[in-house]
Amino acid sequence: MVQPIERDGSMTVRVRYPPSPTGAQHIGNVRTAILNWLFAKKMGGRFILRLEDTDRDPSRYRPDVIPDILSNLRFLGIEPDEDWEKGGPVGPYIQSERLPLYQKAAEELIESGKAYRCYCTPERIAALRAGQQQRGEPTGYDRRCRYLTSPEMDKLSAQPFVVRLAVPLEGQTLYHDEVHGDISVENNALDDQVLLKSNGWPTYHLANVVDDHSMSITHVIRGEDWLPSTPKHVLLYQAFGWETPKWVHAPLILGTDHKKLSKRHGDTEFAEYIRRGYLPEALMNFLALLGWSPGEDQELYSVGDLIDRFSLEGITPHPAIFDANKLLWMNGEYIRKSSPTRIVDLSIPYLQEASLIKTEEDIELAERVVPLVTDRMKTLEEVAPLTDFFFGDMPKYDSKAVEKWLKSSDDGVTLAKILPRLEGIAADQFTVNLIEAAVRSGIEELGVPSPQVIHPLRVALTGRTVGPGLFETMAAMGKEKVLYRLKAIIAKEH
RNA sequence: GGCGCCAUCGUUCAGCGGAUAGGACAACGGGUUUUCAUCCCGUAAACCGGGGUUCGAUUCCCCGUGGCGCUACCA
């Protein structure tokens, strides 16, 4: 076992993030990982990843999601100090590889009378609960096997059994939570929790306590849904005679309707946000602020800022609401802060996905075009609909736009007037400045307000009424394509 | 039902006994502009209710109400 005590006498912080492979990681899981990681970084401690795969019910066990756990964290720039791939001093880091430890621990507890074998069948337990519910009584095991005599036990010894914790019948269990303060519960309200299942595998309660202790975890930072079962864990530590870690229960994440975050709230799967083109720094920033606050009026924080400011005191006691709209805004902020070349690089896969990029030339076009639309991008995914008109010979024409700016005969005349001026510019001189000068002089000659020329031109070239500045658009498009499209539209007018 | 946690603008995060209760998102209004977006300026908007404690409560305590969580041989 590693020693959490440093030579200078201070405690080395060791925190853990223990995902369970029962489904794709969601926002809440990752938020908990971030909180743990920030705390480790802040304290110069260690961030440990541990796989809690003790639930082998085929309907829940999903080994296929295991690789994503690591890759999702890495996407955010989180690299565990110890995990099941790189190992570490207190491995293995996969609970299914630690089974003997839990069995030994359970045995120890039975020896000392802190736990007992229970031979009750699942059927009896179910019937018991049903009756309790019907009568409006609190549900829970009736402790029948806790008081078995030796002869009775001998008779049952060949039967399958679970191991249950012998919760004290009286008194109360008190513990201190770093965000909620002192919490106490009456022991008589606690059930004799199953520690070891009849298949010999541990439940969360046992495995988590045994591992946190043997891995020298100093702070248990987890979601508030664990608050009610913490007394059972405290009792377990006491039964083993071990010192408890510090308890830190972070608030739950709810949807904007204040209900627990679920599929109903749209996407809650973390990887979905990666796919949709959210930047790691935006996700890190936003998720860190979900249930934690630096206590000041600022929203945008770099990872370094977050680490600098992180403290357990900043974890809020009330639920955190997941506001997808605010995430969207924040992502837009980070896109605009990024260098154009980075956004171009990140955008190319989305453009390929949308079948807009097919050739080397298309990539060059993308390099010119993407920087023109970063101001209106909130996610990388939006790059395709924002730039699609640049690609291919002709854009798709929006009927309303055409109706408004290309229908009157004046518009055709206008375009015809501008065309030769553009043709007069050399292909390698087709720059924003020269294009603007050419178009402006055409406008002057026509003697009409500039919008009456600019709008038809834009619709003719892009098929729509909104987009980047017209001259930038034309320069990026290139002389050849501009003339091709203009001529095509003029020909159609006649 | 039992046990536990929580409670500030429409939403969210601050505020940890004495302030004109602050920031952000969204909304609305205005400016810039060839459109949209960006950017800039501005407006509106909150302490769940009732008791205490205190010279003084948004802040501390109790009750109520409401929300959420747990109540599995799931984590």
Side-chain angles (χ1 to χ4, degrees):
Chain A
M1 188 184 305
V2 299
Q3 282 303 319
I5 306 296
E6 292 279 86
R7 284 158 301 282
D8 63 4
S10 67
M11 186 90 101
T12 299
V13 164
R14 291 176 59 82
V15 292
R16 99 266 123 107
Y17 169 57
S20 186
T22 49
Q25 271 186 308
H26 60 80
I27 295 294
N29 300 140
V30 176
R31 191 283 310 259
T32 299
I34 289 175
L35 256 26
N36 275 281
W37 182 77
L38 287 174
F39 185 59
K41 286 293 150 196
K42 169 74 178 189
M43 304 301 288
R46 309 265 291 175
F47 176 74
I48 292 128
L49 199 57
R50 179 174 76 219
L51 192 68
E52 308 227 321
D53 60 343
T54 56
D55 183 4
R56 292 311 176 105
D57 185 314
S59 68
R60 289 185 294 262
Y61 183 53
R62 293 271 311 279
D64 56 301
V65 306
I66 296 173
D68 296 339
I69 295 170
L70 248 340
S71 62
N72 285 343
L73 293 181
R74 288 190 180 128
F75 175 79
L76 291 171
I78 295 178
E79 186 62 42
D81 296 300
E82 299 166 28
D83 63 44
W84 56 80
E85 275 190 7
K86 63 156 61 93
V90 294
Y93 294 84
I94 298 182
Q95 290 188 328
S96 58
E97 296 174 10
R98 301 169 65 84
L99 262 22
L101 249 59
Y102 313 123
Q103 281 152 5
K104 202 182 126 228
E107 209 52 51
E108 196 183 311
L109 255 21
I110 293 171
E111 290 296 311
S112 63
K114 301 285 173 55
Y116 60 93
R117 292 188 179 85
C118 169
Y119 300 92
C120 293
T121 62
E123 291 72 35
R124 181 177 118 77
I125 302 293
L128 185 64
R129 180 163 36 241
Q132 288 163 333
Q133 271 167 350
Q134 217 167 55
R135 280 169 269 135
E137 295 169 7
T139 55
Y141 180 55
D142 63 359
R143 298 182 164 129
R144 188 217 254 186
C145 293
R146 185 162 170 174
Y147 305 110
L148 252 29
T149 61
S150 317
E152 284 173 324
M153 280 196 258
D154 290 344
K155 217 158 52 183
L156 290 163
S157 64
Q159 300 302 309
F161 63 89
V162 300
V163 176
R164 286 180 184 274
L165 179 66
V167 172
L169 274 7
E170 315 185 311
Q172 46 185 207
T173 297
L174 194 123
Y175 67 97
H176 181 78
D177 181 86
E178 300 296 314
V179 355
H180 296 284
D182 292 328
I183 296 173
S184 68
V185 274
E186 296 296 327
N187 287 336
N188 62 26
L190 264 24
D191 203 6
D192 278 3
Q193 193 63 50
V194 171
L195 302 178
L196 214 56
K197 309 173 197 176
S198 56
N199 64 1
W201 288 56
T203 60
Y204 169 85
H205 306 288
L206 210 221
N208 142 74
V209 166
V210 167
D211 284 350
D212 284 347
H213 175 258
S214 69
M215 292 181 175
S216 297
I217 298 303
T218 58
H219 300 255
V220 170
I221 304 173
R222 66 201 340 181
E224 200 184 295
D225 40 350
W226 291 111
L227 207 53
S229 50
T230 303
K232 293 170 191 166
H233 303 161
V234 171
L235 252 16
L236 262 176
Y237 278 96
Q238 289 172 357
F240 283 118
W242 296 336
E243 192 186 338
T244 56
K246 297 249 190 232
W247 305 108
V248 184
H249 287 94
L252 255 19
I253 299 173
L254 311 178
T256 41
D257 59 354
H258 287 212
K259 301 290 183 197
K260 191 180 178 185
L261 204 58
S262 71
K263 282 62 59 193
R264 292 184 300 103
H265 297 96
D267 301 292
T268 55
E269 185 189 333
F270 181 74
E272 181 61 18
Y273 288 86
I274 300 179
R275 278 180 234 120
R276 295 231 303 269
Y278 284 81
L279 301 183
E281 57 267 46
L283 253 7
M284 171 68 90
N285 188 159
F286 183 78
L287 259 21
L289 259 21
L290 231 40
W292 173 76
S293 165
E296 55 184 13
D297 292 337
Q298 188 183 323
E299 320 288 325
L300 268 18
Y301 294 98
S302 68
V303 181
D305 289 341
L306 292 173
I307 293 170
D308 282 348
R309 280 155 234 246
F310 192 81
S311 80
L312 262 22
E313 291 72 50
I315 295 180
T316 61
H318 52 261
I321 280 65
F322 181 76
D323 184 351
N325 205 40
K326 194 155 181 179
L327 204 210
L328 196 59
W329 162 78
M330 190 174 280
N331 201 55
E333 289 287 315
Y334 278 103
I335 286 178
R336 269 169 263 132
K337 276 184 173 198
S338 298
S339 72
T341 55
R342 178 187 182 210
I343 300 305
V344 168
D345 289 345
L346 292 174
S347 293
I348 286 174
Y350 291 90
L351 262 13
Q352 286 168 329
E353 175 73 19
S355 303
L356 292 173
I357 290 184
K358 291 169 187 140
T359 66
E360 195 61 34
E361 271 174 35
D362 289 333
I363 289 182
E364 284 164 23
L365 180 57
E367 285 167 354
R368 295 197 301 274
V369 145
V370 173
L372 261 29
V373 299
T374 52
D375 273 357
R376 61 214 84 194
M377 276 169 66
K378 296 236 196 289
T379 63
L380 296 173
E381 190 181 52
E382 290 172 357
V383 73
L386 249 18
T387 60
D388 55 5
F389 61 85
F390 279 105
F391 299 88
D393 291 338
M394 295 297 283
K396 279 199 200 70
Y397 285 87
D398 175 70
S399 58
K400 279 197 196 115
V402 171
E403 190 64 37
K404 187 163 185 193
W405 295 108
L406 284 184
K407 270 302 185 235
S408 92
S409 55
D410 288 353
D411 296 329
V413 173
T414 298
L415 297 183
K417 239 343 185 227
I418 298 296
L419 180 62
R421 293 173 184 275
L422 294 172
E423 282 176 316
I425 304 172
D428 62 348
Q429 297 283 300
F430 210 65
T431 62
V432 175
N433 285 345
L434 290 183
I435 293 166
E436 176 159 11
V439 174
R440 295 265 182 221
S441 75
I443 289 170
E444 209 168 308
E445 193 194 325
L446 282 159
V448 297
S450 56
Q452 282 192 31
V453 173
I454 284 174
H455 291 310
L457 255 181
R458 177 193 304 286
V459 174
L461 293 171
T462 70
R464 56 179 79 173
T465 56
V466 302
L470 178 65
F471 308 122
E472 286 78 7
T473 296
M474 291 167 79
M477 204 173 269
K479 182 180 179 183
E480 191 188 346
K481 193 171 284 189
V482 166
L483 294 185
Y484 176 84
R485 289 182 179 185
L486 267 187
K487 284 175 184 164
I489 291 297
I490 290 168
K492 227 174 158 189
E493 296 289 300
H494 291 126

